[in-house]
Amino acid sequence: MTYTDILRKVKSDPELMDLGENVSRIRRSQEGDLMLELKKSPGKRVENFLGKVEKSLGEVAQVRARKQELVIECKDIDEITTKEDIRDALEKQFEPLGLQDSAIRGLRKAYGGTQTATISLPTEAAFKLLAAGKVKICWVVCRLREQVSLKRCFRCLEFGHIAAKCTGDCDRSKCCRKCGGEGHMFRECKAEPECMLCKEKKGVDCRHVAGSSRCPVFRRALNAVTK
C-alpha cells in the first residue's frame, strides 16, 4: 500500500474515530512513512491506539509507537568499540535504563581514529546522562552531549527554515535524499550517493547523502547554530 492508501484506510475506519480526535498532526517522514502525532496522552491510551491501528491495517504495514525522546551524542569512543559495548556501559553506570539495541542509532567515524555514537533515549533517561556529562566505555572516558537540532525544509532540503516558510524555487520533496532521483525513496535506492545540495557547487565532493554529517551544507548550518 502507498502512503496515501494507508492514510485513507486509517481515516475511514470507524473503529479509529477516537484516534482521529486525539491526532494533532499528520505528516510524511523523510523515509516516506506515515506519522501520526498525538496530543499528550497517557501511555495506556497510546498502546490502545497502537493496537487498533495494527488491527485496521493487518499485515499491509508495520505499525510502531515512538515516545518523546532526546538524541545524545557520545564522543571520543575508540575505533574498535561496538554498539553492544556502549549499551552495556550505559546500562552498568546509569541503571536501570532498560535500553533496547535500537537505542544506539548510529556509530560513525570521527576525528583522530575515534567514533561518535548517536543515542536516542526517553527524555527522563536522557537528562540523567546529560547531567553526568560523561561515561566510561571500555578504557575511555567519553563525552555526552545533546545533539543539536537543525531546522530543515522538507521542500528544498536546505537548513535554517521549514517548508511553510520556504521561498526558494527548488522543490526537492519528491527526490530521493540519497541519489537525487525521482520515482523512489531513500530506502529503495540502490544507486551511489550523490548530494543534490552539493552537486552544482564547483570543487565540492558530492559523494554523500544530502544533508548527512558528511555534507558541507549540513556542517555549515551546524557550525552556525553552535557558535
Side-chain angles (χ1 to χ4, degrees), residues 99-189:
L99 291 181
Q100 301 295 319
D101 292 338
S102 58
I104 315 298
R105 287 174 30 180
L107 187 58
R108 67 180 188 273
K109 292 182 179 179
Y111 298 106
T114 64
Q115 298 185 93
T116 296
T118 305
I119 308 166
S120 184
L121 295 166
T123 52
E124 186 176 345
F127 288 148
K128 187 185 297 186
L129 268 63
L130 292 172
K134 58 186 178 181
V135 59
K136 187 170 184 179
I137 302 175
C138 299
W139 290 7
V140 182
V141 176
C142 304
R143 293 173 291 163
L144 296 168
R145 301 287 186 272
E146 182 177 354
Q147 187 179 67
V148 177
S149 178
L150 295 176
K151 286 184 180 179
R152 189 176 188 185
C153 176
F154 291 106
R155 180 175 177 273
C156 69
L157 299 187
E158 296 281 355
F159 295 94
H161 65 276
I162 59 176
K165 297 184 178 180
C166 183
T167 57
D169 297 326
C170 188
D171 185 352
R172 302 186 178 102
S173 59
K174 296 181 180 179
C175 297
C176 169
R177 290 189 300 116
K178 182 179 178 184
C179 71
E182 294 190 16
H184 65 275
M185 301 302 289
F186 184 103
R187 68 174 68 180
E188 304 161 349
C189 186

Side-chain angles (χ1 to χ4, degrees), residues 20 22 43-44 52 55 67 76 81 84-85 92 107 119 126 131 135 141 153 159 172 189 200-201 204 209 214 217 219:
N22 285 274
K44 290 184 178 179
K52 287 185 177 182
K55 182 179 179 181
K67 296 180 179 179
D76 310 317
T81 292
E84 290 72 22
D85 294 330
K92 182 178 180 180
L107 187 58
I119 308 166
V135 59
V141 176
C153 176
F159 295 94
R172 302 186 178 102
C189 186
E200 298 177 358
K201 295 179 173 63
V204 177
V209 175
R214 292 182 55 194
V217 176
R219 292 202 294 267

Side-chain angles (χ1 to χ4, degrees), residues 10-11 13-24 38-39 41 45-46 48-50 52-53:
V10 169
K11 291 181 70 174
D13 191 335
E15 294 295 321
L16 296 176
M17 290 297 294
D18 55 343
L19 170 62
E21 294 174 358
N22 285 274
V23 171
S24 62
L38 303 181
K39 299 172 184 176
S41 303
R45 184 181 295 178
V46 174
N48 183 38
F49 289 151
L50 181 65
K52 287 185 177 182
V53 175

